[in-house]
């Protein structure tokens, strides 16, 4: 699954267009490397997102095939920091 789609489906970022823009600006890292929106996500990847006032690190636990419910979205990742 693409990075921008995963961020939207997991609800780490609310809209895919915003996820796309944030990735293009270099504020999303996967395993410590800058990532473009089309980067493929795998299980156990560490995603670092730099928000305006904080930084969040999340470990990918599961990569879904399509859209998921709001209740299931929080099971896709684990917040590390």
């Amino acid at each position: 699954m693409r990075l921008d789609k995963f961020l939207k489906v997991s609800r780490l970022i609310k809209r895919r267009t915003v996820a796309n823009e944030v990735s293009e600006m270099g504020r999303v890292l996967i395993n410590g490397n800058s990532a473009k929106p089309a980067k493929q996500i795998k299980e156990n990847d560490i995603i670092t997102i730099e928000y305006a006032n904080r930084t969040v690190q999340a470990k990918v636990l599961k990569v879904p095939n399509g859209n998921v419910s709001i209740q299931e979205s929080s099971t896709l990742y684990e917040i590390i920091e």
Side-chain angles (χ1 to χ4, degrees), residues 17-29:
T17 54
V18 174
N20 217 324
E21 292 170 2
V22 170
S23 298
E24 286 290 338
M25 291 181 355
R27 294 172 55 190
V28 177
L29 307 174

Side-chain angles (χ1 to χ4, degrees), residues 20-71:
N20 217 324
E21 292 170 2
V22 170
S23 298
E24 286 290 338
M25 291 181 355
R27 294 172 55 190
V28 177
L29 307 174
I30 297 178
N31 299 325
N33 299 317
S34 184
K36 297 290 182 187
K39 172 85 172 149
Q40 293 296 312
I41 296 293
K42 306 180 299 286
E43 290 181 9
N44 296 320
D45 279 346
I46 305 295
I47 300 174
T48 305
I49 305 169
E50 297 173 8
Y51 293 103
N53 56 353
R54 63 188 166 106
T55 300
V56 173
Q57 276 193 333
K59 179 179 181 181
V60 178
L61 299 178
K62 183 169 61 171
V63 178
N65 291 332
N67 290 334
V68 296
S69 66
I70 292 174
Q71 293 82 14

Side-chain angles (χ1 to χ4, degrees), residues 61-62 70-78:
L61 299 178
K62 183 169 61 171
I70 292 174
Q71 293 82 14
E72 190 181 346
S73 66
S74 61
T75 64
L76 300 178
Y77 63 91
E78 172 187 14

